[in-house]
Amino acid sequence: MSDTSFDSQTREASFGDYFALLKPRVMSLVVFTALVGLLVAPGSVHPVEGFAAILFIALGGGASGALNMWWDADIDRIMKRTQSRPIPSGKVGAEEALALGLALSGISVIMLALASNIVAGALLAFTIFFYVVIYSMWLKRSTPQNIVIGGAAGAFPPMIGWAVATGGVSIESIMMFALVFFWTPPHFWALALFMKSDYSEAKVPMLTVTHGRKVTRQQIFGYTLLLAGLAIGTGFTSLGGPVYWAAAVVLNLLFIKGAWTILRRDEEVAEADNYAAEKSFFKLSLLYLFLHFGAILADAVLMRMGVTFGGLL
Amino acid sequence: MTFRPDHELHKRRKGRNIGVGLVLVGFVALVFLLTVVKVERGGSLQGFDHTQRIDMVPQGSNK
């Protein structure tokens, strides 16, 4: 074999290229929310089983990321934000991404069911199906509500974590699902307002393109109010404790204030200060989700340590 | 005796092989640990057919 033949194969992927197919940044949110769901659930899970469960939930999330990149390779080539992904940049073949996604889906679902229980495995299988088939294949290119319904895929992990510990679904896991589900639209639409993205070139019907930026601002405010109601409602379940209540009241007031500011601005004002309010709302949204789940975890830890609200005071 | 330096392709392939190898070793270790935990928590199960052993079941139990 000559050096020339090597040169023709230099597109062979590295380990990191395959890892990038799994969308590691999305995986971090999956791991965090699933871990909180697992840790706050009643009942105990052996640390090894818990570790394995989180690992396989993350792997399932990564598998759906690879399958999403396989399906969306054509539009990823068009949009600047996604052009450096492994498939459009030519590092990994589309069929390789499909094979990796399918293999990891099967491994993660079966291993999660074996390591924990059938309910958790079935929920993970449905999450992958929802993200790949319902969101990527059906909704993403057909409706501006793609982000809203597709957000369910990102909302399942805490529910799966809860199912790992309990073997079922309860009002608490549904509330954690709802928190992520209703958080997704304001989070993404705030990003869409200040990211001059090329969704229209890729023919992806983002709300900012199909209904305009004014409607997007109204929708952000509407979903923020819904989210605030749900976040406060969560406080009335067993997830609510002093830390959660303090965090939820402060964060939701700040979030509503941010959404109200966005609602009252028009494009001229926003462009004049380079979308400062939209950017700060987006940053707050990241903190919002992290602190809500962090507070749920903190209350569960305090309760297990025997620290009660009365005891704190 | 001289060796030609590795082609970039070889380096990448080596890195990928090591990565896959480590993942496989980690997976085997995890399955082994899971098996140990599951067996330890199996309680009064007969090892080879996964049925309860009568002499291990506490007296007075219906099962």
Side-chain angles (χ1 to χ4, degrees), chain B residues 6-61:
Chain B
D6 274 352
H7 191 279
E8 199 271 331
L9 171 70
H10 291 126
K11 286 181 190 163
R12 217 181 319 164
R13 193 176 286 170
K14 187 180 176 187
R16 198 177 64 194
N17 290 343
I18 290 171
V20 172
L22 289 175
V23 167
L24 288 176
V25 169
F27 183 68
V28 169
L30 185 62
V31 171
F32 175 71
L33 279 174
L34 269 175
T35 309
V36 170
V37 169
K38 295 271 182 197
V39 169
E40 276 183 355
R41 298 173 104 200
S44 55
L45 294 182
Q46 190 87 26
F48 49 83
D49 58 3
H50 297 83
T51 56
Q52 284 191 326
R53 245 166 78 178
I54 300 301
D55 58 335
M56 290 179 77
V57 177
Q59 285 186 345
S61 168

Side-chain angles (χ1 to χ4, degrees), chain A residues 36 40 162 171-173 175-176 179 230-249 292-303 307-309 312:
Chain A
V36 172
V40 304
W162 182 278
I171 183 67
E172 287 85 358
S173 67
M175 292 309 275
M176 285 190 285
L179 267 181
L230 271 161
I232 297 301
T234 303
F236 290 104
T237 68
S238 72
L239 297 174
V243 181
Y244 180 83
W245 274 107
V249 169
H292 268 86
F293 276 84
I296 290 171
L297 181 61
D299 276 326
V301 170
L302 287 176
M303 203 173 79
V307 181
T308 60
F309 189 46
L312 279 173

Side-chain angles (χ1 to χ4, degrees), chain A residues 162-220:
Chain A
W162 182 278
V164 166
T166 65
V169 175
S170 69
I171 183 67
E172 287 85 358
S173 67
I174 292 171
M175 292 309 275
M176 285 190 285
F177 171 92
L179 267 181
V180 185
F181 182 78
F182 285 100
W183 164 86
T184 309
H187 167 76
F188 269 103
W189 285 332
L191 180 72
L193 279 176
F194 66 82
M195 280 277 287
K196 297 282 184 188
S197 196
D198 27 17
Y199 283 114
S200 49
E201 278 178 44
K203 291 178 182 164
V204 175
M206 279 300 281
L207 191 69
T208 43
V209 178
T210 58
H211 290 71
R213 304 170 85 81
K214 192 180 175 190
V215 173
T216 306
R217 290 171 187 279
Q218 291 165 352
Q219 295 269 333
I220 287 175

